[in-house]
Structures are given as structure tokens and as C-alpha cells.
């Protein structure tokens, strides 16, 4: 099956710094990728839809200036958490949707972000 | 977006028993999927059921969908200790364009299977 990777798998950063998380579709092209956030013992919440070559679409309540998304190619989307704070500590998961029918969606393994 | 509900929130059973998890959603859907997540890990896709299907099987998994009640259930038969994980339903709405594929996840059920 198709593979989606995320890098890094975990990261610890200091409060006030920025962190970039990469999501790559390894063996297929993805016009659309999705970014989710998951707090401990909770479900996944969609943060934004990343569209190759255009601006991301953010869900209500998600600060677009804090969570910068760039989808510069058909295989790579990045999420940058700017000026991170401890409350941004979470598990960030991306998914990538195939361009062709039936538009299967594949999830990455997630990135654990801890802000100290 | 509002999330659906799942029940029970936690389920503890013995190996060999069946586990049933339920999920409700709020809007009309294109399909509904079930995922498994081991602690601190990524999602594993289990099964997808389309809005025009009522029941689907895959190995020890049986999924039902009742669109009139906006609900779905996942049955795992003859459970094993290795089935211990969190299980999530995720619904996909009838949305076109780039919104196609947006998933709304349920709250999840934590399943513990005791050997």
C-alpha cells in the first residue's frame, strides 16, 4: 500500500521557538494533504487542509498565522508551529490523498511535539 | 467541525470474547471508516463502509452502518490481547472539491483485551 512518512517522529523544543514538521507521500502524488492534532487520550481534530500550489484551508478556531502550512510539491507538505508554547504540545498527524480515483487517503505515523 | 460520539469510551474484555463499539455522526456522509491506533502510534485503517452499504466484513471485523440513525458499529470477534488499542470511526461528508476526503473522527473507544 501507499506510504506516508513524517519527519521528525518526535521533537522537543523550547517555548518561543518554531518547529517544522514534514509530511511526505513516498510512492504517490497528493494534491491534498490533511493535518490533524491529537491531545493525549483524545481523538484527532482536523486542523487544516493543505492544497498543492494554493493556500491551506484552516478549520474554525485554528490560527493560520501560528500553524503555517506549505504544500510546495505533490509529495510534500510542511506544518510549522511558530512561537511554540507548552499548550501546543501534542501529536500531529498528517494524511495524504491520492490524486486518482478512488482518492484513497493514507496516514503518516505522527510527530510527537513537546514544548518545554 | 463537530466530532461524532463513540461508545463505550472504554471497553475491557477477556481474550476470546467479542467486542462491540458504536459510533454516531452528525451529518450525511459519503462513507465511514474505522481506524485502530496503538498507544502513541499512527493510525491503521481497518475498514471502509460506503453510505449505500449496510454491512461489511473483513476477517474478524464486522461493520454495520445505519444511515437513518446516523450510526455505525464495529464488532471484533474472538478478540486477542493484540487487539488492545484505541478504535476510532471517521466519517467523510458529501463534500466536493478539495474538501473531499475531510474526515471527522469520533471520540474513540479504548479497548483492552486481557489474556
Amino acid at each position: 500500500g501507499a506510504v506516508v512518512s513524517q519527519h521528525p517522529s518526535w521533537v522537543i523544543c523550547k517555548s518561543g521557538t518554531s518547529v517544522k514538521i514534514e509530511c511526505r507521500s513516498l510512492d504517490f502524488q497528493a494534491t491534498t494533504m490533511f493535518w490533524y492534532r491529537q491531545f493525549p487520550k483524545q481523538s484527532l481534530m482536523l486542523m487544516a487542509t493543505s492544497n498543492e500550489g494554493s493556500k491551506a484551508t484552516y478549520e474554525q478556531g485554528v490560527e493560520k498565522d501560528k500553524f503555517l502550512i506549505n504544500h510546495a510539491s505533490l509529495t510534500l507538505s510542511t506544518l510549522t508551529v511558530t512561537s511554540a508554547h507548552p499548550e501546543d504540545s501534542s501529536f500531529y498527524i498528517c494524511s495524504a490523498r491520492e490524486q486518482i480515483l478512488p482518492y484513497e487517503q493514507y496516514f503518516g505515523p505522527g510527530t510527537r511535539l513537546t514544548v518545554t | 467541525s463537530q466530532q461524532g460520539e463513540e461508545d463505550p469510551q472504554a471497553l475491557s474484555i477477556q481474550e476470546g470474547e467479542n467486542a462491540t463499539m458504536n459510533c454516531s455522526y452528525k451529518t450525511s456522509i459519503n462513507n465511514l471508516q474505522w481506524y485502530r491506533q496503538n498507544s502513541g502510534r499512527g493510525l491503521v485503517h481497518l475498514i471502509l463502509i460506503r453510505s449505500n452499504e449496510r454491512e461489511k466484513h473483513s476477517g474478524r471485523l464486522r461493520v454495520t452502518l445505519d444511515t437513518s440513525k446516523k450510526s455505525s458499529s464495529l464488532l471484533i470477534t474472538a478478540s486477542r490481547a493484540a487487539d488492545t488499542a484505541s478504535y476510532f470511526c471517521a466519517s467523510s461528508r458529501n463534500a466536493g472539491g478539495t474538501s473531499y476526503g475531510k474526515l471527522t473522527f469520533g471520540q474513540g473507544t479504548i479497548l483492552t483485551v486481557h489474556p
Side-chain angles (χ1 to χ4, degrees), chain A residues 2-63:
Chain A
V3 177
V4 175
S5 70
Q6 281 185 241
H7 178 80
S9 55
W10 60 270
V11 57
I12 302 172
C13 71
K14 293 190 175 181
S15 191
T17 61
S18 295
V19 174
K20 180 186 286 188
I21 302 170
E22 294 184 348
C23 177
R24 290 182 187 273
S25 55
L26 297 186
D27 47 4
F28 67 99
Q29 294 184 327
T31 308
T32 303
M33 294 185 178
F34 301 95
W35 286 97
Y36 297 85
R37 180 168 54 183
Q38 183 181 32
F39 292 109
K41 299 191 185 304
Q42 293 188 27
S43 187
L44 282 77
M45 290 288 292
L46 179 65
M47 298 175 66
T49 303
S50 172
N51 303 304
E52 187 269 336
S54 64
K55 291 183 180 179
T57 305
Y58 291 82
E59 295 298 303
Q60 193 172 10
V62 177
E63 299 174 59

Side-chain angles (χ1 to χ4, degrees), chain B residues 29-56:
Chain B
I29 62 170
N30 185 52
N31 63 63
L32 187 140
Q33 303 177 57
W34 284 89
Y35 290 86
R36 165 199 169 118
Q37 183 181 38
N38 286 77
S39 182
R41 308 291 291 274
L43 296 178
V44 175
H45 183 261
L46 296 177
I47 196 166
L48 178 151
I49 187 165
R50 301 190 190 286
S51 59
N52 60 353
E53 297 176 308
R54 292 296 167 259
E55 188 171 311
K56 203 162 182 180

Side-chain angles (χ1 to χ4, degrees), chain A residues 91-111:
Chain A
F91 195 52
Y92 292 87
I93 303 176
C94 73
S95 68
R97 196 190 80 193
E98 283 188 314
Q99 282 185 285
I100 56 175
L101 284 169
Y103 304 126
E104 291 278 358
Q105 191 173 152
Y106 302 95
F107 281 83
T111 296

